[in-house]
Amino acid sequence: MRTRHLPYERVSGQPLDTYSAGGHAGVSLRCGHLGPGALAATRDSSRKVRRVRQALTLLLICTANFMNVLDVTVVSVALPDMGATLGASLSELQWVVNAYTLPLGTLLMSAATLSGSVGRLRLFRWGIALFTAGSLACALAPSVDVLDWNRFIQGVGGAIFLGVGVPMISDRYPTGPARARAIGIYGAVSGAAIALGPLIGGGLVLLAGWRAIFWVNVPVGLAVWLGSRWVPEAGADLGAATAGAAARKVDWPGTALCVAMTGALTFALLQGNTWGWASPAIVSLLVGSVALFGAFCVVERRAASPMVDVGILTEPTYAGSVMVGFIIQAALIGPMAFLSLYAQNIYRLTPAQTGLCFLPFSASALIVAATCGGAVRRRGARASLLGIVLGGVVGSCLLMLLRGSSTWLVLIPGLVLAGAATGATGTIVNQLAVSSADEDTAGMTSGFSASARQLGIVMGVAVVGVSYERVIRRVMTASLEISALGRASDQEHLISLVASGQGLRALDGWPTAMPAGMHSHLASLVRSATDAGLTVSLGAGAVAMLAVAIYLALTVPGRRAKAEDPHMFAL
């Protein structure tokens, strides 16, 4: 079908609005000759049409974003059910999360830069189609390996539509309050998805098993794809973007190096405990990831159209917002899967009950994400970012009060603060990413910021998994209670089961009869070892967030220093 552009014009000849409709090319409708009454009616009609289309575009982008973020957090509650059904180890369950987030973190930038020449709306549709197909394949997966590969396909689709989402909003909303509200809504939806993931996941697993968390994406994805057919093209979609944006090419060498670098590092972190940290394979992966990082830096400096323009990281406020997005996702979202395992395998809660336990986190994230949109304008970037990180530090410290002998209620204060920090991150970091760019670099700045957040989840899951397993093994191996099992093979078997996240359920299926007194002593050991594993992991995240807070305090300008640069707050 050909495209006809209908530019309503003001009396001065400047366009009021442009939209596409079926018809012959080159036909235009001009309203400059109309009388005052007719012209006013035309203007009102044009504004209404524009607002409806803006709202539709925002709705579709937010729905896709909700599905994308939800698929990171919803899986955490379903992991125990997946492990039992598919016979997966802790390392394999970690890959169910990372196989999705790894392509998200490494391909987002390429999607954002490719959109300048291919068209953002077209890429959005491709991403939705791929994500939906991957979800269908995940729902039908017969093994954990097949599930992991299809999660990777899901992640590629998610990277494509997530990479173009914020630039599409910028294309359709002019600079000012309207764009600020739209981006605030987008951030609030991200916070809502993170918050509601455990609750929705628990309900779906209870009703229909773990496969339901993937089945639900299929009709939603189809609806978003069909709805996108009603969205008009704008900006880069029309092939009339600025010369700089249109001329950008995909940095394939940089993308390949980034994927290889993060993949090697993540794989080494995930398999280190299994293969041994001094094994040739792990040492090679770690050394290789460092070498690949060096090669990536060299390639990006020499590339004509780099995947990451190093110059954008010289702006302290933008660099600080990227660091905040990364560390909050790593330190607060990374441990979520392990908290879910703890709730179900130490407290023996059902998936639905586990989801309800995360309700304080969910409510806090929703409320803060929806209400903090004006924080940067009122308080400044440094105060807003410091508030997020320090809230996360206190939240992690409060979560460290977790004990298997206590009730889940002790975690409510920590969950509230962690949820608030997570919800604020989605809104404020997105705002700072867009406000730091012009139209030509909006895709790069927002894409890099989003990539950093996704890589934060990958690194968080990997690092928490390493510390969790190592601490549990160390505590159980050093204890006297474990010797009650007698044979060394039985001791190692129990330690491996507990370190894989099975908790007290490791004792339930013990193949030989166990005296009541021995069972009680071993149950106490399992609780204390699992407590120690989570406490150390959460503590490491708190220390990392505190280091970022110090960096922000020393480098990000205060509100007075930024007052002379209105662009930073012109959302």
Side-chain angles (χ1 to χ4, degrees):
M1 181 180 289
R2 294 182 177 180
T3 303
R4 174 176 59 185
H5 300 294
L6 308 175
Y8 293 106
E9 293 186 350
R10 299 186 182 93
V11 176
S12 63
Q14 299 301 317
L16 284 173
D17 192 20
T18 300
Y19 65 91
S20 300
H24 299 287
V27 179
S28 64
L29 175 64
R30 300 183 182 276
C31 303
H33 63 281
L34 298 177
L39 182 58
T42 301
R43 286 174 174 171
D44 290 341
S45 176
S46 173
R47 292 192 188 99
K48 290 178 182 178
V49 170
R50 184 173 63 248
R51 288 169 183 165
V52 169
R53 286 172 171 166
Q54 285 176 335
L56 174 62
T57 304
L58 183 61
L59 174 63
L60 296 177
I61 292 172
C62 287
T63 302
N65 181 44
F66 187 88
M67 287 196 303
N68 167 66
V69 179
L70 187 69
D71 258 54
V72 176
T73 55
V74 75
V75 169
S76 62
V77 177
L79 288 177
D81 194 38
M82 289 180 185
T85 303
L86 302 176
S89 65
L90 178 63
S91 176
E92 289 171 324
L93 291 177
Q94 287 175 271
W95 272 109
V96 173
V97 177
N98 284 342
Y100 181 75
T101 53
L102 185 59
L104 276 177
T106 54
L107 298 178
L108 264 168
M109 285 298 301
S110 293
T113 53
L114 180 64
S115 67
S117 55
V118 174
R120 288 163 183 161
L121 183 57
R122 181 181 300 176
L123 278 181
F124 180 81
R125 291 169 181 157
W126 291 355
I128 291 295
L130 198 58
F131 177 87
T132 304
S135 297
L136 178 61
C138 285
L140 299 171
S143 67
V144 69
D145 291 332
V146 175
L147 177 62
D148 286 345
W149 280 109
N150 287 299
R151 284 283 284 170
F152 185 86
I153 293 173
Q154 261 193 314
V156 173
I160 293 173
F161 66 69
L162 188 64
V164 301
V166 173
M168 282 178 67
I169 293 174
S170 298
D171 281 344
R172 288 159 176 81
Y173 286 87
T175 301
R179 181 183 292 182
R181 283 193 298 271
I183 295 174
I185 292 171
Y186 181 86
V189 168
S190 296
I194 291 173
L196 295 176
L199 190 60
I200 294 174
L204 290 173
V205 172
L206 180 66
L207 292 174
W210 65 265
R211 297 181 189 275
I213 67 176
F214 300 114
W215 280 118
V216 73
N217 289 333
V218 177
V220 178
L222 289 173
V224 171
W225 189 89
L226 291 172
S228 71
R229 310 301 298 179
W230 294 90
V231 174
E233 296 178 331
D237 302 323
L238 297 171
T242 60
R248 293 189 64 85
K249 304 293 184 181
V250 179
D251 179 19
W252 292 118
T255 300
L257 287 169
C258 185
V259 172
M261 172 186 66
T262 54
L265 178 60
T266 303
F267 195 76
L269 290 172
L270 289 174
Q271 297 298 123
N273 285 333
T274 303
W275 294 352
W277 291 99
S279 66
I282 296 299
V283 172
S284 298
L285 286 169
L286 292 173
V287 172
S289 65
V290 174
L292 288 167
F293 175 73
F296 175 77
C297 293
V298 172
V299 167
E300 294 306 285
R301 287 183 179 276
R302 296 179 178 179
S305 298
M307 178 183 178
V308 178
D309 184 354
V310 180
I312 67 174
L313 297 177
T314 61
E315 207 292 310
T317 301
Y318 177 75
S321 72
V322 170
M323 292 185 67
V324 169
F326 177 90
I327 198 61
I328 290 296
Q329 298 292 83
L332 298 182
I333 302 302
M336 281 296 168
F338 300 89
L339 282 171
S340 176
L341 288 170
Y342 190 96
Q344 295 181 58
N345 295 335
I346 296 294
Y347 286 126
R348 296 180 179 274
L349 302 177
T350 66
Q353 290 172 327
T354 301
L356 288 173
C357 288
F358 282 101
L359 193 57
F361 177 93
S362 305
S364 177
L366 279 170
I367 294 170
V368 174
T371 57
C372 71
V376 174
R377 187 174 59 255
R378 293 192 303 268
R379 304 295 182 187
R382 183 171 67 181
S384 299
L385 294 174
L386 276 172
I388 291 173
V389 177
L390 293 177
V393 170
V394 177
S396 284
C397 291
L398 291 174
L399 288 175
M400 290 165 63
L401 297 174
L402 172 144
R403 293 290 183 274
S405 57
S406 63
T407 68
W408 190 258
L409 296 176
V410 73
L411 298 183
I412 289 179
L415 289 172
V416 169
L417 281 175
T422 304
T425 299
T427 299
I428 291 174
V429 171
N430 271 327
Q431 285 184 349
L432 292 175
V434 174
S435 68
S436 300
D438 52 28
E439 290 185 12
D440 291 356
T441 59
M444 176 182 289
T445 55
S446 62
F448 184 76
S449 179
S451 295
R453 295 198 296 276
Q454 298 303 327
L455 286 174
I457 297 176
V458 174
M459 293 297 116
V461 171
V463 172
V464 171
V466 168
S467 61
Y468 179 83
E469 186 172 353
R470 285 179 68 84
V471 171
I472 287 177
R473 282 187 171 277
R474 187 175 301 165
V475 170
M476 294 191 71
T477 301
S479 69
L480 296 176
E481 290 90 340
I482 195 69
S483 60
L485 287 175
R487 293 185 302 177
S489 59
D490 287 344
Q491 295 177 22
E492 175 58 28
H493 182 55
L494 178 61
I495 291 172
S496 297
L497 290 177
V498 177
S500 70
Q502 292 193 26
L504 294 175
R505 298 185 192 276
L507 297 174
D508 295 345
W510 199 252
T512 57
M514 188 180 295
M518 181 189 299
H519 187 282
S520 176
H521 286 303
L522 289 175
S524 176
L525 172 61
V526 169
R527 289 192 189 95
S528 61
T530 309
D531 290 345
L534 265 181
T535 299
V536 170
S537 301
L538 291 167
V543 170
M545 286 188 287
L546 188 59
V548 171
I550 294 171
Y551 169 84
L552 294 172
L554 295 176
T555 62
V556 177
R559 182 165 178 79
R560 290 183 180 179
K562 295 301 295 183
E564 298 178 0
D565 185 6
H567 176 63
M568 176 57 63
F569 302 104
L571 298 175

